[in-house]
Amino acid sequence: MQKLYGLVEAGGTKFNLGVARSKDEVMDVTRIPTTTPPETIAAMIDWFGMRSAEFGAFTAIGVASFGPLQLDRTASDWGYITNTPKPGWANTDLAGPLIRAFGCDVAVDTDVNGAALAEYHWGAGAGGRNVVYLTVGTGIGGGAIVNGEILHGRSHPEMGHMFVAPHPQDTDFSGICPAHGTCLEGLASGPAIIKRWGMSLSESPPDHGGRQIIAYYLAQAVCNLQSILEPDRIIMGGGVMESDGLIEILREQAVKMGGGYFVSDAAAIIQPPMLESKAGLLGALALAERLTRSAN
Amino acid sequence: MQKLYGLVEAGGTKFNLGVARSKDEVMDVTRIPTTTPPETIAAMIDWFGMRSAEFGAFTAIGVASFGPLQLDRTASDWGYITNTPKPGWANTDLAGPLIRAFGCDVAVDTDVNGAALAEYHWGAGAGGRNVVYLTVGTGIGGGAIVNGEILHGRSHPEMGHMFVAPHPQDTDFSGICPAHGTCLEGLASGPAIIKRWGMSLSESPPDHGGRQIIAYYLAQAVCNLQSILEPDRIIMGGGVMESDGLIEILREQAVKMGGGYFVSDAAAIIQPPMLESKAGLLGALALAERLTRSAN
């Protein structure tokens, strides 16, 4: 029987939905706004119902979502968005309504783990063993593939919340992370940049010192990830990384900071994403396909 | 046939050797000084040869060694100590002489990965999924078990070399790491403590501020490990951790610093080792047993 996968990229402002038989055979996609959970989930179920009427039963549905998520399969709230600050969305069951409506297996993971998995299979991480995907935007999030498996511990990683040393010219800034102040996200996310300099790095002139400061933090994150995971690739996505020249400065600083200590060359392992806007739905597809494989 | 394992804990000042059928059936152990590679390795081969004459052929030999090591099985220098600063020991083949002498499989990994594996099977990490072992002594090293497997990327982890933020009362100290200055090892290892305060934490009075400062760095390491691996246990070994009260201060600071963000309670996951001085040889045993299992 031909496989059919339902794909959900659950984001804070929109849900991207898709139906595909494989990476190269995507039947349909749509986008619905993220409003309230009952409304958004009902719209998602409706759309999948119509697609299923047209194309057949789903083999599996993959959900790559904003978090935090409960990913422990033995927990009663597995597949829920848990304590998100997004109004109305705390304790929202994403997996349950899909399982009840379509009777198929559902895979749920974070958007960044989905993106890491998609880049690992089909993008900038292909051929790697340990691959990290780090997104630097409104927040900083990271996912990783270790020995072919998505890295999970008690929960999914929260790589944006690691601690790093302040840049010598940035010691006055108290950071914007409500929990940690000056963790990586508190120092180097998009809102932290705006808060300091009143504009994004993209809007700032090329010689604006902000690029050096932000690269200094991201380079420490790269070194810290090397010190623990020694990955083959650290794929740097998100809006902040689109700033002209930032990735080059980041490579330079990460090499210098590493001091030749790590086996991999930071300049080579730091890569931009290849899948870009497709990473979300392809992540959902990779999650769904993986679920099917592991069930066989 | 009864299994027989050769065990090597290769350290900078001594090699501990053992012969065992299982964790609970250790036939013999000895200790030889670490002098030059030819001398030390010949003494090791001699001792194992005599034990083999007595007990039979080795099923496998496990080596838990100081590093850095080449652990890529496809590399021509697999099983070598690579660029260690220890005089005379750079590019030393540990595995080859054992394989040639005894014709059995040899497993090689870092001493900290061995200790992590032993604690995971038989000690403070038992029952965990992701378990980290961090040793704070002359250097700072870390190993981890992730989903039942030893964590390796391009190489073994070098967790001592992650970057952390300086303590507000410690901003003058430039660190002692030759490669990174103020990385974790540069700030919080035994020699870094001596360099600052002229004595170890154990020698310092209970109200000496050093404990708070060192705990501040180790707490960041704990948080950074949580942000990436979300482990069930972070086992803190090594001479520095034996300082009275340090583990309690570390727990306190790690909980406070984490800000309730990580799923696990840092106070619960930070644990002292259970195997203590046995972790080295038991690590070698766990490595050897694992090799046998994976070959079947």
Side-chain angles (χ1 to χ4, degrees):
Chain A
M1 205 180 71
Q2 271 193 305
K3 295 201 188 307
L4 186 72
Y5 298 106
L7 318 176
V8 182
E9 178 187 7
T13 58
K14 61 183 177 354
F15 273 44
N16 286 316
L17 306 177
V19 174
R21 297 204 186 280
S22 71
K23 173 180 173 287
D24 300 313
E25 201 176 351
V26 178
M27 332 292 286
D28 201 356
V29 294
T30 193
R31 167 181 300 199
I32 58 177
T34 306
T35 57
T36 65
E39 196 173 74
T40 308
I41 286 169
M44 171 176 79
I45 300 283
D46 277 356
W47 189 80
F48 278 132
M50 289 184 290
R51 297 293 85 72
S52 180
E54 189 176 351
F55 299 115
F58 290 115
T59 312
I61 297 175
V63 182
S65 177
F66 67 100
L69 302 169
Q70 174 58 272
L71 298 182
D72 178 353
R73 282 245 172 207
T74 67
S76 60
D77 60 345
W78 168 78
Y80 277 58
I81 295 172
T82 58
N83 58 341
T84 177
K86 188 173 167 60
W89 282 80
N91 301 311
T92 295
D93 185 4
L94 288 177
L98 291 165
I99 293 170
R100 286 190 291 276
F102 303 107
C104 65
D105 273 343
V106 172
V108 180
D109 216 311
T110 60
D111 41 13
V112 281
N113 271 337
L117 192 60
E119 292 282 352
Y120 168 79
H121 281 301
W122 303 307
R129 172 177 172 165
N130 291 0
V131 171
V132 174
Y133 178 92
L134 207 62
T135 178
V136 188
T138 311
I140 298 184
I145 309 302
V146 170
N147 285 333
E149 297 296 328
I150 300 171
L151 178 62
H152 289 143
R154 282 277 183 101
S155 180
H156 48 78
E158 290 284 0
M159 298 185 191
H161 296 272
M162 72 171 81
F163 291 102
V164 291
H167 187 280
Q169 274 126 57
D170 192 40
T171 51
D172 292 343
F173 184 59
S174 58
I176 61 148
C177 174
H180 309 121
T182 55
C183 65
L184 182 65
E185 179 170 300
L187 289 167
S189 61
I193 293 167
I194 303 275
K195 178 130 191 223
R196 276 202 211 73
W197 299 302
M199 57 186 158
S200 70
L201 292 187
S202 298
E203 292 160 342
S204 71
D207 59 346
H208 188 278
R211 279 181 182 73
Q212 293 290 337
I213 290 174
I214 296 307
Y216 184 84
Y217 297 126
L218 298 176
Q220 289 181 72
V222 164
C223 289
N224 289 0
L225 286 161
Q226 287 188 283
S227 80
I228 297 171
L229 300 177
E230 285 275 9
D232 300 286
R233 288 284 183 281
I234 299 181
I235 302 165
M236 303 289 306
V240 169
M241 288 310 302
E242 288 166 19
S243 320
D244 259 7
L246 182 60
I247 197 166
E248 287 78 14
I249 302 173
L250 168 58
R251 283 181 176 137
E252 244 171 66
Q253 293 208 13
V255 168
K256 191 173 153 203
M257 243 176 234
Y261 205 86
F262 304 114
V263 170
S264 297
D265 174 14
I269 66 173
I270 295 171
Q271 293 290 338
M274 277 175 63
L275 304 175
E276 302 182 350
S277 65
K278 290 183 187 170
L281 282 181
L282 287 178
L285 175 62
L287 290 168
E289 284 190 337
R290 178 159 289 233
L291 189 63
T292 316
R293 268 206 311 282
S294 65
N296 288 342
Chain B
M1 205 179 70
Q2 270 193 305
K3 297 203 190 304
L4 185 73
Y5 298 106
L7 318 177
V8 181
E9 177 187 7
T13 58
K14 61 183 179 347
F15 273 44
N16 286 315
L17 307 177
V19 174
R21 298 207 186 277
S22 71
K23 172 180 175 287
D24 300 314
E25 202 176 349
V26 179
M27 333 292 287
D28 200 357
V29 296
T30 194
R31 167 180 303 199
I32 58 178
T34 305
T35 57
T36 65
E39 197 174 72
T40 309
I41 286 169
M44 171 176 79
I45 300 283
D46 278 356
W47 189 80
F48 277 134
M50 290 183 290
R51 296 296 82 73
S52 181
E54 187 176 354
F55 299 116
F58 289 115
T59 313
I61 297 175
V63 181
S65 176
F66 67 100
L69 302 169
Q70 173 59 271
L71 299 181
D72 178 353
R73 281 245 172 206
T74 67
S76 60
D77 61 345
W78 168 78
Y80 278 57
I81 295 173
T82 58
N83 57 340
T84 177
K86 187 174 169 58
W89 281 81
N91 301 310
T92 296
D93 186 4
L94 289 177
L98 291 165
I99 293 171
R100 284 189 293 275
F102 303 106
C104 66
D105 273 344
V106 173
V108 179
D109 216 313
T110 59
D111 41 13
V112 281
N113 271 337
L117 191 60
E119 292 282 353
Y120 168 78
H121 281 301
W122 302 307
R129 173 177 172 164
N130 292 0
V131 171
V132 175
Y133 178 91
L134 207 62
T135 177
V136 188
T138 310
I140 297 184
I145 308 302
V146 169
N147 285 333
E149 298 296 329
I150 299 172
L151 177 62
H152 289 144
R154 282 277 183 101
S155 181
H156 48 79
E158 290 285 0
M159 296 183 192
H161 296 272
M162 71 170 81
F163 292 103
V164 292
H167 187 280
Q169 274 126 57
D170 192 41
T171 52
D172 292 343
F173 184 59
S174 57
I176 61 148
C177 175
H180 307 121
T182 55
C183 65
L184 181 65
E185 179 169 300
L187 289 166
S189 60
I193 292 167
I194 303 275
K195 177 131 192 218
R196 276 201 211 75
W197 299 302
M199 57 187 158
S200 70
L201 292 188
S202 297
E203 292 160 342
S204 71
D207 60 345
H208 188 278
R211 281 181 182 73
Q212 292 290 338
I213 290 174
I214 297 306
Y216 184 83
Y217 297 127
L218 298 176
Q220 289 181 69
V222 164
C223 289
N224 289 0
L225 286 162
Q226 287 189 284
S227 80
I228 295 171
L229 300 177
E230 285 274 8
D232 299 287
R233 288 285 183 279
I234 299 180
I235 301 164
M236 303 289 306
V240 170
M241 289 310 303
E242 288 167 20
S243 320
D244 258 7
L246 183 60
I247 198 166
E248 288 78 13
I249 303 173
L250 168 58
R251 284 181 175 135
E252 243 172 64
Q253 292 208 14
V255 167
K256 190 174 153 202
M257 242 176 233
Y261 204 86
F262 304 114
V263 169
S264 296
D265 174 14
I269 67 173
I270 295 170
Q271 293 290 338
M274 277 176 65
L275 304 174
E276 304 182 349
S277 65
K278 291 185 186 167
L281 282 182
L282 287 178
L285 175 63
L287 290 168
E289 284 191 336
R290 179 160 289 233
L291 190 63
T292 316
R293 268 208 310 284
S294 66
N296 289 342

